[in-house]
Amino acid sequence: MIGGLFIYNHKGEVLISRVYRDDIGRHAVDAFRVNVIHARQQVRSPVTNIARTSFFHVKRSNIWLAAVTKQNVNAAMVFEFLYKMCDVMAAYFGKISEENIKNNFVLIYELLDEILDFGYPQNSETGALKTFITQQGIKGQHQTKEEQSQITSQVTGQIGWRREGIKYRRNELFLDVLESVNLLMSPQGQVLSAHVSGRVVMKSYLSGMPECKFGMNDKIVIDKAGKGGVTDDVAKSTTGKQSIAIDDCTFNQCVRLSKFDSERSISFIPPDGEYELMRYRTTKDIILPFRVIPLVREVGRTKLEVKVVIKSNFKPSLLAQKIEVRIPTPLNTSGVQVICMKGKAKYKASENAIVWKIKRMAGMKESQISAEIELLPTNDKKKWARPPISMNFEVPFAPSGLKVRYLKVFESKLNYSDHDVIKWVRYIGRSGIYETRC
Amino acid sequence: MTDSKYFTTTKKGEIFELKAELNSDKKEKKKEAVKKVIASMTVGKDVSALFPDVVNCMQTDNLELKKLVYLYLMNYAKSQPDMAIMAVNTFVKDCEDPNPLIRALAVRTMGCIRVDKITEYLCEPLRKCLKDEDPYVRKTAAVCVAKLHDINAQLVEDQGFLDTLKDLISDSNPMVVANAVAALSEIAESHPNSNLLDLNPQSINKLLTALNECTEWGQIFILDCLANYAPRDDRESQSICERVTPRLSHANSAVVLSAVKVLMKFMEMLPKDLDYYGTLLKKLAPPLVTLLSAEPELQYVALRNINLIVQKRPEILKHEMKVFFVKYNDPIYVKLEKLDIMIRLASQANIAQVLAELKEYATEVDVDFVRKAVRAIGRCAIKVEQSAERCVSTLLDLIQTKVNYVVQEAIVVIKDIFRKYPNKYESVIATLCENLDSLDEPEARAAMIWIVGEYAERIDNADELLESFLEGFHDESTQVQLQLLTAIVKLFLKKPTETQELVQQVLSLATQDSDNPDLRDRGYIYWRLLSTDPVAAKEVVLAEKPLISEETDLIEPTLLEELICHIGTLASVYHKPPSAFVEGSRGVMHKRLPARTGSGESTESPDVGTIAGGSGTETAPSIIPSQGDLLGDLLNLDLAPPTTTGPPPPTSGMQMGGMDLLGGGLDSLMGDESEPLGGDIGGSAAMGAGFGAVPAVMPASLNAPMGGGLGDLFDLGGGVGMPLGAYIPPKTVWLPAMKAKGLEISGTFARRAGVIQMELTLTNKAMSVMTDFAIQFNRNSFGLAPAGPLQVLSPLSPNQTIEVSLPLSTVGPVMKMEPLNNLQVAVKNNIDVFYFSCQYPISMLFVEDGKMERQVFLATWKDIPNENESQFQIKDCHLNSDAASNKLQASNIFTIAKRTVEGQDMLYMSIKLSNGIWVLAELRVQTGNPNYTISVKCRAPEVSQCVFQCCEAVLKN
């Protein structure tokens, strides 16, 4: 299991050092600094073995988190734990920075004592942790016996993510379907790979211990319902077309996985506040909101002509926002002239790219940029690698075609029904890695 | 909050100041001081001098302060054991506190203080906490047992904590169960033989129930523990798989990977024709792909594991090539791993896409990545023949870029392409020659020189090219020197008239001016060869080259199996067994995949083993004498001339056809090259119509105990009866006295009681005494290595002969030999070192548990592609099928089933080699016909020839 956990600043100075196992000595702290942080070259692996000691590291801004072990640990678990550790810290004091870590080092030690015991990760749900580890000193001195046992039962309980006795005057929930659409397109416009990775993020403000059931236009569910129902054809003609094939999905730990596996129904008792209910991935019938058509021409050795057309491909009534096209330029660029029909374009020498920004663009429209790039003559034999043109945008629909069909709330003990809950649903499609090779 | 100020105190005399503050009366000041101490401790300052002062702060009702003091204690208690005792009382008191959080804190911290005196006091509180009413305390106490075990294992056993811990597996709280499982698993690792976890269907059921309810981390502990369980049969393994599959949808990648590990392992036991097997395969792909959308570090772990999974079960991800395409912004470690998997998944179906991608990657920035991409293009050419041409033209395009390392890498892979497809792409040689000057890496230079030498007759100025390399001969690396030497000799053999001077030059450079023994040896060999017998030289130097394999960097199968059992862990990231990077006893135990067992067989049909067991004692004596006779025969044979083990005359198609007709022709009618056995059992409609009764009879004859239970008795006989009968070839002279300064070695190989032995006869034909014998093997196909030193105790005086038997192991280094069963041996004595090579009968490697289950046999026979089947004839053998079966069985060639079709006996046999390779064979014996036909099927078709030779040798002796 994890033998120790260290946090370093960018210089390699230790900010936090907690050793869980006897086989990890003080020198391990230095070994990582010398061999990884101070190493000149790029990181070649997130797992490093130095003198029979394995170091797992992740970086958040300029902070290094490293877990150390001498055993054959579950590597996936160690990384999951490091990410979780970052989440927990962020939930307590915001951004992970040297400043914040130094300011909260006592708290971090306390957390590390709680969520990692002898190197074994323990309950690390912030909801539960915040009931007894707080920034204002520790609760506990003045708790009643009931409060104490409530804490321990939540920390160890089956529903570790929610405490009992939550009350809201207004029961409300917000559902965000957040999708990032990823594309890799060849210069000829052929889709090399495309997928949507989506997340359903929920903010719930519900009283008691509500039982929720979430439904979407999942092809398997709809086909199944269609077969069973009397109005077979009707169901297919109305909903069958709009159903989507989900390649795979993963759920928050509150979702009953065995139920999903057997019935494909998503039921759960939600945590309080904001959390990610599920993640999913689709690859079929994706709506690609934009198409990028590049044209790069080399005029002699010192000039490049670039023309890029973007086409929006969705309902004309919808508006895409925060559109940004990034056209890479060679390292030996000396000057750039840009003309664009819409938005603003600028050559950013520090980023080696022309950045073209458009605030809004409706569906089924087209826009164009052309640029002349002057190059310094070089005797460098190596050709310019021509990085792909990348794009950023935000659209108010789900490119996968996912639709929320229902989210039902049942709370048998308290006096409110599904109808009393105010529900909000929002779809946002963003660009993930949306690249066109040129 | 401004705690960061604690990090900045660097004044001199601060320890003194801190001491004062720690002893202050004001609580706030105390707390501040302790924080400063902890901050100093973190940055590595030694604050152990403050030990008594800090411990004094321990008795407080301020929980925050208490935790800080505990943190300090954990760090320094070991260096101040006597002082640490001061803290014991507080711990013991805290363990009784009404607040469960404080009870847990105390027991947790106490376990981290590694001081013997403290651990003594820990036992009582720990015992109470393990039975605490609060689950939070119990789950903490469970881990504490593991801590205590790490400090003093004996104490934990003596105090009976292990039993209490086992009881916690049935706890009502899932988190307590999970922690107990984690603790027990860890403790069990240091007692490999104890039955600590005692996994049985009941406890497995409890774990599977807890799996649904506990935290993500707990699920990982439980899944990792489950993976160590060996289900009794395929049904149990299926039901566990069914309950584990929902975990594949968990958001935590580690849960997913651990579930994959359990499934990959238990799947091994499921029959491949089961519907569920196919369903499971399909279910595995999506979650593996999803792992690739995780953060890069996890992607890396996932990719390293996928690399293993793809090697073990390529069918899972064969359609998912696209997801492994490299993204521009992927970190380099992700890129390199993806590329590796792309090559493994490349097939005819997707090769066009793959090549287009690879070409794209070859223009990237990172040198390692570009090199690997270029190399990958070459691998594709070798792997997918249809794409070879396109690959070559892509490589030529890349050479045109003139980027130095791209060119060099391309030349290295083109060399391999030439080897694989000789005389096909030589038109590109001209282009390659243009780039001769830019090559500065040894590997590329050596490759280029090889190409020039190999195709010297097509390159007009080959002599000039090679001569240009010769100028700086001594500055080249060994690789290049050796290659240059060989290339020039090749050139000389092809164009002897013009290149005599050149060859003289290189030979003298290699032999006279070089200090490198390899180079000198090779030089001398060539020199002598060329001067004594140029024709022989031509045959040696320009001999046909062995084929190069399609797959590279494949992990060796046994290692792969072990790594599959470690999916998700560091071992799977390093692709090394845990013993390679873990110190001490932990994790050194080798894990293996479970063997496939059919529950259907053991429950439905009468258990063959038990039947044989019942009558075993009575029948056994009647068999052993017969084996004794056999042994007698063999001993008599010793005097006979050595049997030839050369390849048999190739059997012509005509002969085979004749044979089939004679043999009732059943197989030829069924489509001869298809699987006769599988076809029968399958009972396909067409065949059923044609042969009426035959398919119906088959299953019955397969299930009935065959050969009057004789075969099974051999199983029972174990190591006692069997080895006596195993075939041992007579001794032959391996090293004549003339060549070894008077030492003559003759020998043979035998397998006795499961141990392979090399039986040597050493004769001293020299005039002086020989002493200090030692033996060593070169790497060989099956990893044979001496298991001990060569036991020649007394000096060997002139004309004395001794017999030595040397036990061999099969765990030595492996290298494929030609022929497969060739063994190169070096024997040393006080006079010199002598080398010889000998061939061992492959039957030495047939292990005793080589009897395959019938169903598995059927499935395997079907599973092995037909092109791996080879047929041989054994002539002049006058045994009936039962006698043949017995004889073969004695050499661990097990008859699984026998059936008789129109006077022709078919014996179905299985053999397992020491390296785990299974060989299946079908022997057809026709009464009255002395010629047998044997068909051998194996996943590694190379061994077929050797196996056949063995069968022949066994049957004829």
Side-chain angles (χ1 to χ4, degrees):
Chain A
M1 281 305 116
I2 297 173
L5 200 138
F6 309 130
I7 303 181
Y8 303 84
N9 65 7
H10 67 287
K11 284 185 253 169
E13 293 165 356
V14 194
L15 304 179
I16 297 285
S17 139
R18 174 75 159 95
V19 174
Y20 293 94
R21 297 265 174 159
D22 205 35
D23 52 7
I24 302 299
R26 184 81 207 175
H27 56 276
V29 188
D30 304 321
F32 183 75
R33 174 186 25 249
V34 173
N35 288 291
V36 182
I37 302 182
H38 289 176
R40 297 268 158 108
Q41 78 271 46
Q42 199 189 357
V43 173
R44 301 305 273 194
S45 164
V47 186
T48 324
N49 194 323
I50 306 163
R52 284 183 162 256
T53 309
S54 300
F55 295 81
F56 299 74
H57 74 265
V58 300
K59 254 190 111 174
R60 289 289 182 268
S61 61
N62 55 6
I63 296 295
W64 298 73
L65 274 89
V68 195
T69 183
K70 284 208 161 188
Q71 300 172 30
N72 182 30
V73 296
N74 188 320
M77 183 185 81
V78 175
F79 280 123
E80 282 285 2
F81 176 79
L82 288 176
Y83 302 143
K84 193 76 184 191
M85 180 71 207
C86 294
D87 291 349
V88 170
M89 289 196 291
Y92 269 96
F93 52 77
K95 194 171 173 283
I96 295 172
S97 62
E98 182 173 352
E99 180 79 13
N100 278 346
I101 288 174
K102 279 185 172 173
N103 277 338
N104 293 284
F105 82 99
V106 174
L107 171 75
I108 295 175
Y109 275 125
E110 214 178 301
L111 285 170
L112 281 176
D113 196 42
E114 185 59 44
I115 60 180
L116 210 51
D117 190 6
F118 201 41
Y120 289 105
Q122 305 291 309
N123 194 334
S124 44
E125 288 304 309
T126 32
L129 290 172
K130 279 191 172 170
T131 56
F132 65 107
I133 297 180
T134 62
Q135 274 170 297
Q136 287 77 42
I138 288 120
K139 281 188 189 172
Q141 288 101 316
H142 317 294
Q143 286 161 336
T144 63
K145 209 167 175 201
E146 288 73 48
E147 276 171 340
Q148 286 164 4
S149 71
Q150 204 185 338
I151 289 170
T152 58
S153 81
Q154 195 199 335
V155 174
T156 60
Q158 294 182 18
I159 309 163
W161 53 87
R162 190 180 180 93
R163 64 191 168 89
E164 300 250 8
I166 298 173
K167 277 214 174 76
Y168 286 102
R169 217 155 51 80
R170 197 158 98 137
N171 288 300
E172 200 169 16
L173 61 86
F174 300 84
L175 259 182
D176 283 349
V177 177
L178 306 175
E179 294 197 338
S180 82
V181 51
N182 298 277
L183 170 76
L184 182 63
M185 196 175 252
S186 76
Q188 292 77 31
Q190 188 193 358
V191 176
L192 296 173
S193 73
H195 74 271
V196 167
S197 54
R199 305 186 302 142
V200 178
V201 175
M202 194 167 155
K203 256 182 253 174
S204 66
Y205 304 104
L206 301 170
S207 311
M209 288 299 231
E211 176 75 47
C212 296
K213 213 174 162 191
F214 175 68
M216 54 191 176
N217 57 341
D218 175 7
K219 195 161 186 255
I220 297 174
V221 177
I222 300 225
D223 287 357
K224 219 200 269 171
K227 267 177 210 157
V230 193
T231 51
D232 198 359
D233 293 324
V234 184
K236 262 208 177 132
S237 61
T238 54
T239 57
K241 232 183 195 172
Q242 291 163 3
S243 66
I244 61 159
I246 291 175
D247 287 20
D248 190 36
C249 43
T250 57
F251 296 100
N252 184 287
Q253 59 168 325
C254 66
V255 176
R256 292 184 187 87
L257 293 178
S258 41
K259 213 156 182 187
F260 177 76
D261 193 59
S262 56
E263 302 160 27
R264 224 175 155 85
S265 75
I266 302 164
S267 60
F268 54 97
I269 294 171
D272 194 40
E274 182 170 340
Y275 67 99
E276 185 180 284
L277 176 65
M278 72 178 281
R279 278 174 187 238
Y280 55 92
R281 181 167 48 83
T282 73
T283 46
K284 287 200 188 70
D285 304 321
I286 294 169
I287 308 158
L288 296 172
F290 285 95
R291 165 103 206 265
V292 178
I293 305 157
L295 197 75
V296 181
R297 207 161 66 91
E298 288 177 42
V299 186
R301 285 188 58 104
T302 55
K303 205 169 148 189
L304 272 181
E305 280 181 10
V306 181
K307 200 174 102 176
V308 176
V309 180
I310 57 167
K311 286 183 180 173
S312 59
N313 175 35
F314 44 86
K315 272 192 238 159
S317 57
L318 297 175
L319 273 181
Q321 293 184 61
K322 300 178 192 165
I323 302 151
E324 184 186 290
V325 181
R326 186 171 281 267
I327 304 161
T329 55
L331 297 173
N332 55 337
T333 303
S334 59
V336 177
Q337 274 111 45
V338 218
I339 308 161
C340 58
M341 289 158 55
K342 220 176 164 203
K344 278 180 193 160
K346 224 182 197 174
Y347 166 62
K348 293 198 174 166
S350 59
E351 294 164 38
N352 285 313
I354 301 168
V355 181
W356 176 26
K357 287 184 177 169
I358 304 171
K359 276 198 183 127
R360 257 173 235 103
M361 190 164 166
M364 306 316 269
K365 288 259 166 43
E366 179 173 323
S367 192
Q368 187 183 321
I369 183 171
S370 43
E372 272 186 24
I373 302 168
E374 311 260 343
L375 303 176
L376 289 171
T378 56
N379 47 8
D380 195 2
K381 262 192 182 172
K382 220 159 103 185
K383 258 180 63 184
W384 176 47
R386 281 206 187 182
I389 296 176
S390 59
M391 216 188 147
N392 290 315
F393 54 79
E394 202 179 290
V395 289
F397 61 90
S400 69
L402 181 129
K403 292 258 156 47
V404 176
R405 286 171 60 218
Y406 57 81
L407 199 151
K408 291 178 194 148
V409 181
F410 310 96
E411 167 54 278
S412 48
K413 285 187 197 143
L414 295 175
N415 242 347
Y416 72 94
S417 74
D418 187 37
H419 301 291
D420 302 331
V421 181
I422 306 159
K423 300 168 190 168
W424 307 86
V425 182
R426 181 164 66 155
Y427 298 91
I428 299 172
R430 289 199 184 98
S431 52
I433 296 165
Y434 204 83
E435 293 176 338
T436 306
R437 290 181 179 158
C438 56
Chain B
M1 278 259 161
T2 48
D3 282 357
S4 57
K5 65 172 184 262
Y6 303 117
F7 280 87
T8 51
T9 48
T10 48
K11 286 171 285 173
K12 279 191 180 165
E14 67 169 318
I15 297 273
F16 186 75
E17 252 175 55
L18 281 172
K19 213 180 178 86
E21 285 176 38
L22 284 170
N23 291 318
S24 154
D25 296 334
K26 286 181 190 149
K27 273 188 183 170
E28 269 313 301
K29 201 146 197 185
K30 256 189 186 176
K31 202 162 119 185
E32 296 283 288
V34 176
K35 280 189 183 178
K36 277 184 203 164
V37 172
I38 301 290
S40 308
M41 191 176 85
T42 299
V43 292
K45 280 182 208 153
D46 185 13
V47 282
S48 59
L50 296 168
F51 200 91
D53 311 284
V54 177
V55 172
N56 269 338
C57 304
M58 191 173 165
Q59 275 182 340
T60 167
D61 27 338
N62 183 323
L63 202 50
E64 190 182 11
L65 181 58
K66 188 172 251 179
K67 284 190 178 179
L68 287 172
V69 175
Y70 281 177
L71 192 62
Y72 180 90
L73 262 176
M74 285 186 263
N75 254 335
Y76 287 115
K78 218 175 163 189
S79 57
Q80 312 249 354
D82 294 331
M83 302 268 226
I85 284 296
M86 289 159 58
V88 165
N89 265 335
T90 322
F91 279 127
V92 175
K93 211 178 95 205
D94 279 356
C95 285
E96 307 273 340
D97 197 277
N99 187 341
L101 292 171
I102 292 185
R103 292 201 295 276
L105 178 66
V107 77
R108 184 165 69 212
T109 313
M110 232 172 146
C112 295
I113 297 176
R114 306 175 62 91
V115 175
D116 280 341
K117 281 179 196 153
I118 291 206
T119 43
E120 283 166 27
Y121 289 97
L122 174 61
C123 292
E124 272 324 298
L126 177 59
R127 200 186 315 281
K128 269 186 208 153
C129 288
L130 279 166
K131 301 218 160 104
D132 199 284
E133 52 169 19
D134 195 290
Y136 182 77
V137 181
R138 290 201 300 277
K139 72 110 185 165
T140 311
V143 176
C144 189
V145 176
K147 291 179 189 169
L148 188 58
H149 185 268
D150 196 37
I151 304 168
N152 190 341
Q154 197 55 47
L155 188 69
V156 171
E157 276 173 55
D158 295 347
Q159 297 278 332
F161 285 134
L162 294 181
D163 292 323
T164 325
L165 202 53
K166 278 190 210 168
D167 293 342
L168 288 184
I169 288 193
S170 314
D171 199 280
S172 58
N173 184 294
M175 196 155 172
V176 178
V177 178
N179 276 4
V181 166
L184 275 173
S185 301
E186 179 169 339
I187 295 171
E189 251 178 55
S190 45
H191 300 270
N193 297 322
S194 72
N195 197 15
L196 206 55
L197 271 163
D198 188 29
L199 294 175
N200 53 49
Q202 287 77 36
S203 59
I204 289 292
N205 199 27
K206 279 177 200 155
L207 293 185
L208 286 167
T209 313
L211 187 62
N212 287 325
E213 292 163 354
C214 61
T215 63
E216 45 194 336
W217 314 117
Q219 295 185 18
I220 300 168
F221 306 152
I222 292 180
L223 287 168
D224 283 351
C225 170
L226 267 180
N228 291 328
Y229 176 61
R232 285 162 311 168
D233 52 42
D234 52 348
R235 276 189 214 144
E236 189 185 6
S237 107
Q238 177 175 346
S239 81
I240 295 175
C241 286
E242 278 166 359
R243 292 178 69 179
V244 167
T245 36
R247 299 297 120 200
L248 294 175
S249 309
H250 203 284
N252 186 314
S253 307
V255 175
V256 176
L257 268 178
S258 290
V260 168
K261 164 164 58 191
V262 174
L263 296 175
M264 281 292 285
K265 210 176 159 185
F266 289 4
M267 229 170 142
E268 202 66 18
M269 292 183 69
L270 301 177
K272 281 194 170 170
D273 44 359
L274 197 72
D275 286 345
Y276 182 71
Y277 181 83
T279 323
L280 203 53
L281 276 182
K282 275 193 209 111
K283 276 195 176 168
L284 275 171
L288 288 174
V289 174
T290 298
L291 291 177
L292 298 182
S293 45
E295 289 84 344
E297 292 87 3
L298 266 175
Q299 274 187 53
Y300 174 72
V301 174
L303 286 164
R304 291 294 282 176
N305 279 288
I306 289 172
N307 200 330
L308 298 173
I309 293 169
V310 163
Q311 287 183 58
K312 178 76 190 160
R313 296 191 184 279
E315 62 270 34
I316 295 179
L317 288 166
K318 67 178 171 203
H319 299 302
E320 303 287 352
M321 171 61 96
K322 277 190 175 181
V323 298
F324 298 103
F325 284 179
V326 170
K327 293 187 189 122
Y328 190 75
N329 292 325
D330 281 337
I332 182 67
Y333 49 82
V334 169
K335 283 185 176 175
L336 291 171
E337 288 308 313
K338 280 186 173 174
L339 194 51
D340 223 28
I341 295 170
M342 278 174 70
I343 309 173
R344 293 201 196 285
L345 289 178
S347 68
Q348 205 183 328
N350 55 26
I351 194 75
Q353 266 184 325
V354 173
L355 265 183
E357 282 293 309
L358 292 176
K359 201 175 168 184
E360 198 73 37
Y361 304 161
T363 61
E364 283 223 26
V365 188
D366 190 283
V367 178
D368 284 351
F369 181 59
V370 171
R371 281 172 176 272
K372 201 163 183 175
V374 175
R375 208 161 268 233
I377 297 174
R379 295 316 311 175
C380 286
I382 288 161
K383 198 172 169 191
V384 186
E385 191 167 351
Q386 291 81 357
S387 74
E389 198 156 345
R390 243 183 312 174
C391 294
V392 172
S393 80
T394 309
L395 288 170
L396 283 179
D397 287 351
L398 290 172
I399 290 176
Q400 300 300 349
T401 62
K402 306 274 179 195
V403 178
N404 190 287
Y405 53 85
V406 174
V407 173
Q408 311 215 34
E409 206 63 45
I411 285 178
V412 172
V413 294
I414 286 180
K415 178 203 74 185
D416 286 344
I417 297 177
F418 282 172
R419 288 262 322 256
K420 169 88 183 184
Y421 310 109
N423 305 320
K424 226 174 155 185
Y425 300 107
E426 282 72 23
S427 53
V428 309
I429 291 177
T431 324
L432 303 185
C433 291
E434 287 165 19
N435 293 289
L436 219 56
D437 301 333
S438 62
L439 307 180
D440 53 11
E441 290 164 22
E443 206 184 350
R445 284 173 83 84
M448 192 63 219
I449 293 168
W450 182 87
I451 293 172
V452 175
E454 188 66 19
Y455 299 101
E457 68 272 30
R458 320 238 184 130
I459 306 170
D460 294 336
N461 59 344
D463 47 347
E464 284 169 32
L465 292 176
L466 291 175
E467 202 172 356
S468 67
F469 281 104
L470 210 53
E471 281 160 17
F473 189 77
H474 290 298
D475 302 328
E476 300 281 4
S477 71
T478 310
Q479 193 184 9
V480 181
Q481 288 176 332
L482 286 169
Q483 204 51 260
L484 195 54
L485 173 63
T486 308
I488 292 179
V489 171
K490 280 182 190 166
L491 174 71
F492 172 71
L493 290 167
K494 288 172 177 175
K495 299 180 184 173
T497 46
E498 311 126 59
T499 55
Q500 204 151 4
E501 209 174 302
L502 193 62
V503 86
Q504 288 286 354
Q505 207 183 334
V506 76
L507 286 174
S508 74
L509 276 173
T511 53
Q512 285 158 23
D513 306 337
S514 169
D515 298 333
N516 185 331
D518 284 350
L519 188 64
R520 290 170 60 139
D521 279 0
R522 197 186 281 193
Y524 280 125
I525 289 170
Y526 283 146
W527 203 323
R528 202 149 302 171
L529 257 176
L530 292 173
S531 57
T532 49
D533 190 352
V535 181
K538 212 162 189 169
E539 273 173 37
V540 172
V541 179
L542 303 178
E544 204 167 305
K545 274 157 279 298
L547 285 180
I548 54 174
S549 77
E550 290 180 8
E551 299 283 348
T552 37
D553 316 325
L554 277 184
I555 294 175
E556 187 244 328
T558 45
L559 177 60
L560 180 62
E561 290 208 351
E562 191 180 351
L563 293 180
I564 289 285
C565 301
H566 289 293
I567 284 178
T569 67
L570 259 182
S572 73
V573 173
Y574 293 145
H575 288 184
K576 283 181 194 158
S579 51
F581 59 92
V582 175
E583 277 167 7
S585 62
R586 270 195 188 126
V588 177
M589 213 181 2
H590 289 278
K591 295 189 180 180
R592 309 204 75 177
L593 288 176
R596 204 165 289 235
T597 56
S599 66
E601 180 137 351
S602 59
T603 52
E604 281 157 21
S605 70
D607 193 322
V608 185
T610 47
I611 290 182
S615 57
T617 41
E618 295 139 49
T619 353
S622 70
I623 291 161
I624 290 167
S626 77
Q627 283 180 331
D629 289 347
L630 209 70
L631 185 67
D633 285 349
L634 287 171
L635 289 175
N636 290 338
L637 272 176
D638 259 7
L639 297 169
T643 48
T644 49
T645 44
T651 49
S652 70
M654 274 298 284
Q655 265 178 311
M656 274 162 53
M659 188 66 200
D660 265 334
L661 284 176
L662 285 173
L666 178 64
D667 293 319
S668 65
L669 282 168
M670 277 163 46
D672 194 28
E673 45 295 68
S674 74
E675 325 81 348
L677 193 55
D680 267 358
I681 297 302
S684 75
M687 203 192 56
F691 288 93
V694 179
V697 171
M698 259 305 292
S701 73
L702 264 182
N703 279 336
M706 55 78 181
L710 271 186
D712 300 301
L713 282 171
F714 280 111
D715 284 351
L716 280 176
V720 191
M722 217 165 21
L724 290 172
Y727 163 65
I728 301 167
K731 279 183 179 168
T732 48
V733 176
W734 285 336
L735 185 70
M738 271 169 62
K739 289 193 179 167
K741 300 188 179 161
L743 175 67
E744 185 181 272
I745 299 179
S746 58
T748 184
F749 292 88
R751 189 181 181 93
R752 295 179 204 278
V755 179
I756 307 171
Q757 282 175 330
M758 187 181 200
E759 315 217 314
L760 298 161
T761 305
L762 308 178
T763 309
N764 183 355
K765 296 196 173 169
M767 300 308 287
S768 57
V769 177
M770 293 179 179
T771 52
D772 305 332
F773 285 92
I775 193 164
Q776 205 164 15
F777 295 173
N778 194 359
R779 292 195 282 174
N780 54 73
S781 314
F782 294 94
L784 283 176
L790 188 63
Q791 298 284 352
V792 182
L793 297 174
S794 51
L796 196 58
S797 38
N799 272 329
Q800 196 191 347
T801 300
I802 53 155
E803 310 264 336
V804 192
S805 95
L806 175 72
L808 307 184
S809 68
T810 52
V811 292
V814 174
M815 182 174 77
K816 197 178 167 192
M817 297 297 290
E818 192 58 44
L820 210 57
N821 56 346
N822 198 17
L823 181 67
Q824 295 177 334
V825 184
V827 171
K828 186 195 85 120
N829 62 11
N830 57 335
I831 300 167
D832 205 345
V833 184
F834 311 108
Y835 302 93
F836 64 90
S837 71
C838 55
Q839 293 183 6
Y840 48 92
I842 205 165
S843 60
M844 294 308 113
L845 304 166
F846 297 172
V847 295
E848 279 69 23
D849 61 345
K851 185 159 184 170
M852 212 180 227
E853 295 284 341
R854 281 172 197 158
Q855 286 172 350
V856 181
F857 182 91
L858 286 179
T860 318
W861 186 277
K862 273 195 217 165
D863 200 42
I864 299 176
N866 288 330
E867 54 274 22
N868 284 10
E869 181 170 347
S870 7
Q871 230 176 42
F872 306 95
Q873 286 213 327
I874 301 174
K875 290 190 177 167
D876 292 328
C877 196
H878 298 279
L879 291 166
N880 65 23
S881 58
D882 284 343
S885 164
N886 285 346
K887 252 188 161 178
L888 291 169
Q889 183 118 24
S891 292
N892 292 341
I893 303 168
F894 298 95
T895 306
I896 294 185
K898 175 187 161 183
R899 69 180 170 130
T900 311
V901 181
E902 299 177 21
Q904 185 173 357
D905 288 336
M906 314 269 227
L907 296 177
Y908 295 99
M909 302 176 300
S910 73
I911 298 161
K912 187 183 175 190
L913 296 183
S914 56
N915 58 356
I917 293 180
W918 284 93
V919 182
L920 310 184
E922 179 202 58
L923 181 71
R924 274 184 249 156
V925 181
Q926 170 125 37
T927 338
N929 184 341
N931 295 351
Y932 297 177
T933 309
I934 183 164
S935 304
V936 181
K937 243 185 163 185
C938 176
R939 288 208 168 83
E942 305 88 298
V943 304
S944 299
Q945 177 76 29
C946 290
V947 168
F948 155 68
Q949 283 167 10
C950 263
C951 291
E952 188 178 41
V954 170
L955 285 172
K956 287 194 177 172
N957 287 293

